[in-house]
């Protein structure tokens, strides 16, 4: 039997992750409009918190408490990652409740482009010409999805999704910084989940929306899917470098389009499809350029 390559394993894990995140969005929407998006985010983060806590306890028991230590220099970036990541989740969940699933997914996939921009400020990574052009064109594509207008109520959900993608991009840049500082990835997930839950807590105390057993179960399902997506990404980039597989993360758009049609009879409009085409095309161009650029650099060594 032919052995599966590390790159193929990474692709499988990343596509699985994309499907999990698409299913998370379905669960969030199935929970109903009568539940506030912050309450939905609380349940999503509580599941991730419990899973990260169990894994950290197990790791501490095996490797010792020293493996869980957080360097002092990391605390600022842990808080920054948690603040921006919370904005990312809240914006994404607000958009999921109010617009087409595929639109919410593609706006969230602006995060990698924003990560490039914020990495320039946080870790001084230079932005080269091709990625810069791809970022600018991706913003143009996003505007086709957002479709800004003077009707603020109509535009607000897509703007929230766009800001959510921006927050997620900043959070990704912070994660890269934290990894370079030697912070345990499970600690990052645990701290972020706890922080986001605390932000949601005032709403939970003062304005909790009563839920049926079905809604509780479906939101727990959203948390499990989100955890599956997160672990899938972690496993994917363990097996292969982002430059070799990152483009496959955009399979979430395909899954979201199919699931949105199947569960909610959603069909994105022509402007959204134009936006999808531009953003995914820019992602492909950036992916190919990054891969070729890396190969040239390796050839010089």
């Amino acid at each position: 039997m032919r052995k599966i390559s590390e790159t193929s394993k990474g692709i499988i894990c990343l596509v699985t992750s994309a499907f999990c995140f698409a299913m998370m969005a379905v669960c969030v929407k199935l929970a109903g409009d009568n539940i506030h998006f912050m309450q939905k985010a609380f349940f999503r983060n509580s599941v991730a918190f419990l899973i990260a806590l169990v894994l950290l306890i197990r790791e501490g028991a095996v490797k010792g408490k020293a493996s869980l230590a957080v360097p002092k220099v990391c605390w600022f970036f842990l808080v920054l990652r948690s603040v921006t990541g919370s904005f990312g989740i809240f914006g994404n969940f607000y958009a999921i409740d109010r617009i087409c699933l595929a639109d919410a997914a593609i706006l969230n996939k602006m995060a990698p482009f924003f990560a490039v921009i914020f990495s320039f400020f946080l870790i001084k990574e230079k932005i080269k010409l091709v990625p810069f052009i791809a970022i600018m064109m991706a913003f143009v594509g996003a505007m086709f999805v957002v479709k800004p207008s003077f009707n603020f109520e109509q535009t607000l959900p897509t703007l929230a999704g766009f800001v959510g993608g921006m927050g997620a991009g900043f959070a990704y840049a912070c994660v890269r910084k934290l990894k370079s500082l030697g912070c345990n990835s499970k600690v990052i997930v645990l701290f972020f989940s706890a922080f986001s839950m605390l932000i949601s807590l005032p709403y939970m105390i003062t304005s909790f929306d009563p839920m049926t057993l079905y809604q509780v179960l479906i939101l727990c399902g959203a948390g499990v899917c989100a955890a599956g997506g997160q672990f899938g990404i972690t496993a994917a980039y363990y097996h292969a470098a982002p430059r070799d597989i990152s483009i496959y993360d955009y399979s979430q758009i395909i899954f979201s389009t199919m699931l949105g049609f199947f569960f909610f009879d959603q069909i994105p409009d022509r402007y959204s499809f134009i936006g999808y085409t531009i953003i995914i095309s820019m992602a492909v161009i950036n992916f190919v350029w990054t891969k070729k650029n890396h190969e040239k650099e390796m050839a010089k060594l």
Side-chain angles (χ1 to χ4, degrees), residues 237-258:
Y237 293 131
Y238 172 82
H239 288 296
R243 64 178 173 272
D244 295 327
I245 63 172
S246 61
I247 194 63
Y248 294 95
D249 193 27
Y250 284 83
S251 60
Q252 184 181 339
I253 312 307
I254 299 171
F255 293 133
S256 294
T257 302
M258 294 170 62

Side-chain angles (χ1 to χ4, degrees), residues 88-222:
I89 286 183
F90 295 151
N92 184 232
F93 277 31
Y94 184 86
I96 286 170
D97 276 341
R98 291 162 176 82
I99 62 175
C100 174
L101 283 184
D103 282 3
I106 197 69
L107 291 172
N108 193 248
K109 290 305 172 190
M110 287 295 293
F113 296 104
F114 281 115
V116 173
I117 295 172
F118 293 128
S119 291
F120 171 77
F121 296 102
L122 286 180
I123 52 182
K124 309 302 179 184
E125 283 189 349
K126 292 182 178 180
I127 305 176
K128 296 183 179 180
L129 181 60
V130 172
F132 178 78
I133 294 172
I135 290 168
M136 293 300 101
M137 290 301 298
F139 286 143
V140 172
M143 289 305 101
F144 276 97
V145 180
V146 173
K147 295 178 279 291
S149 69
F150 292 106
N151 186 339
F152 189 68
E153 287 187 7
Q154 189 177 19
T155 305
L156 181 60
T158 48
L159 284 176
F162 184 77
V163 172
M166 185 186 298
F170 203 124
Y172 292 164
C174 289
V175 168
R176 294 187 67 180
K177 179 69 175 180
L178 285 164
K179 286 185 176 181
S180 71
L181 295 173
C183 188
N184 189 308
S185 61
K186 298 182 187 68
V187 170
I188 298 172
V189 173
L190 183 76
F191 189 91
F192 160 64
S193 300
F195 185 92
S196 193
M197 287 168 64
L198 284 174
I199 292 178
S200 305
L201 199 57
Y203 178 86
M204 298 288 287
I205 295 172
T206 61
S207 307
F208 181 82
D209 299 314
M211 298 189 297
T212 64
L213 177 60
Y214 166 79
Q215 289 174 317
V216 172
L217 292 175
I218 206 74
L219 285 178
C220 286

